[in-house]
Amino acid sequence: MLVAQEGRVRESGTEPPTPGSARLHRPTLLAAVALLLLLAGLCVLSLLIGSGSNPVAKAWGFLTGDPAARADAQIRLAVMDVRLPRTLAGLLVGVSLGAAGCLLQSVTRNPLAETGLLGVNSGAALGVVIGLTYFHITSAYAVLLWALVGGMAASAVVLLLAASGRAAGSPLRLVLAGSALGATFHGATSYVLLGTQSTFDTYRYWTIGSLAGIETKDTVPLLPLVAVGLAVAFLCVRPLSALALGDDSARSLGHHPGRIRLTVAVAVTLLAGSAVALAGPIAFLGLLAPYAARLVTGPRMGGQLLLSGLVGACVMIVADLLARVVIRPWETPVSVLLAFIGGPLLIWIARSRHMSTAGASA
């Protein structure tokens, strides 16, 4: 069947992207360079702009080495202890959710798939509630740890369910298992919250989805998990490119579709679990970034993954900048701003004539 497909392609005079090719075609390379430059500029703005009253000029002086600005303890605190940690967190969360969304949409062949499908969000929420209620955790680091453990445990259960039975590893089974377990965990979370007002107050702050208050010590422990997740993701580029041709074609090229899907699910768990643990549930970013990347790369999986991470980071930094200034001196949750952008865009994608084409190419 694969030979017949290739013969028809040659007769038509067009050559498809080679499955798993590591080469980036010119538009993808140019887009990656542009996004890196944009991201660098956004990171500088993130260090200059805050929700407080500190002037941008003083922050710029601090960054450029002005002696007077360097001697200002308030500016040093704002730039190094508040803005720098949340900028690093925004990069980590954006790259993680963008890459995880790209992987999930590709492996399920569904352009509307989102990282919450693996039960990571609901599992993390249940982990936080259990830690607050039964183990009386108080520190932000403990909340992060329980969220990470809860998200990964939930995703592990989903993977075990998806890997069992005759249809092991199928995208439909993966989505159904994630949706069913997610609803179950959500119900368990609501049950525990009913009788504990103090738990609800802390949980409500975490679940709104924000980068406010994040410190460097919260981000550093998650870097190895994100690095492993990204490494596994890029190792899956060739198998996913083959899988896009269909399960039979993937098998003929020496790949095992079920194992590919389970490996991808592990990478998604590491990436999405780290992001949710750090910033809380962030909706829509895992949907928006891959869709934007596909507009440039087409079906090239390597380019999709690279641009999805970069787009996710850019969008996250922009959303965090807006969160600081929209209702200054207070802050708006990042998740709220992303919902305002993501909701209408989701409707547009769903009504788009090209949605099915995008899903197939993923």
Side-chain angles (χ1 to χ4, degrees), residues 1-359:
M1 183 173 63
L2 180 59
V3 175
Q5 288 177 349
E6 291 176 347
R8 287 194 295 269
V9 169
R10 291 192 183 97
E11 290 174 1
S12 66
T14 59
E15 192 71 25
T18 303
S21 175
R23 293 182 300 175
L24 297 177
H25 75 314
R26 186 176 179 82
T28 300
L29 187 59
L30 292 176
V33 172
L35 286 171
L36 283 172
L37 294 175
L38 175 62
L39 187 58
L42 290 173
C43 287
V44 172
L45 284 177
S46 181
L47 296 177
L48 295 177
I49 300 173
S51 57
S53 57
N54 291 312
V56 173
K58 282 191 175 182
W60 176 253
F62 180 88
L63 293 180
T64 55
D66 179 67
R70 289 278 179 172
D72 192 324
Q74 186 176 8
I75 291 296
R76 175 178 292 274
L77 176 67
V79 174
M80 300 302 296
D81 296 340
V82 178
R83 298 174 191 171
L84 180 59
R86 68 188 294 171
T87 300
L88 296 176
L91 290 173
L92 184 144
V93 172
V95 169
S96 298
L97 291 181
C102 176
L103 291 172
L104 194 57
Q105 290 179 18
S106 177
V107 80
T108 60
R109 300 174 191 167
N110 181 357
L112 300 182
E114 223 262 344
T115 50
L117 284 178
L118 283 185
V120 175
N121 292 355
S122 55
L126 181 58
V128 169
V129 168
I130 289 175
L132 291 171
T133 304
Y134 301 111
F135 294 88
H136 308 292
I137 60 176
T138 55
S139 68
Y141 183 76
V143 171
L144 183 151
L145 183 61
W146 276 91
L148 181 63
V149 171
M152 291 189 170
S155 188
V157 174
V158 171
L159 292 179
L160 288 174
L161 291 176
S164 62
R166 298 175 59 185
S170 72
L172 178 60
R173 179 181 283 266
L174 193 65
V175 171
L176 288 177
S179 299
L181 266 296
T184 302
F185 295 144
H186 180 72
T189 299
S190 300
Y191 174 78
V192 175
L193 285 174
L194 284 176
T196 51
Q197 181 63 39
S198 59
T199 297
F200 178 76
D201 291 339
T202 305
Y203 169 77
R204 180 178 58 185
Y205 176 79
W206 173 81
T207 198
I208 60 175
S210 174
L211 298 180
I214 291 178
E215 301 179 8
T216 304
K217 66 179 182 180
D218 300 326
T219 306
V220 171
L222 297 177
L223 292 178
L225 296 178
V226 173
V228 172
L230 290 174
V232 174
F234 279 100
L235 288 175
C236 290
V237 166
R238 184 182 296 274
L240 280 173
S241 299
L243 194 64
L245 301 174
D247 285 12
D248 291 337
S249 298
R251 290 189 188 96
S252 69
L253 292 170
H255 300 288
H256 191 290
R259 292 174 188 169
I260 296 172
R261 293 188 178 103
L262 292 178
T263 302
V264 167
V266 170
V268 171
T269 299
L270 291 172
L271 294 170
S274 300
V276 172
L278 187 61
I282 303 290
F284 293 111
L285 187 57
L287 170 69
L288 303 180
Y291 187 81
R294 278 195 298 273
L295 295 177
V296 177
T297 66
R300 296 169 176 83
M301 187 60 212
Q304 283 184 38
L305 189 58
L306 175 62
L307 293 192
S308 293
L310 292 175
V311 170
C314 289
V315 171
M316 194 67 192
I317 296 296
V318 168
D320 187 45
L321 282 170
L322 292 175
R324 305 178 200 181
V325 300
V326 168
I327 54 173
R328 184 186 282 177
W330 296 278
E331 291 198 18
T332 305
V334 172
S335 59
V336 174
L337 293 174
L338 287 174
F340 275 118
I341 300 171
L345 185 58
L346 176 60
I347 296 173
W348 179 75
I349 293 174
R351 294 175 58 87
S352 172
R353 294 178 301 173
H354 304 290
M355 189 189 76
S356 58
T357 303

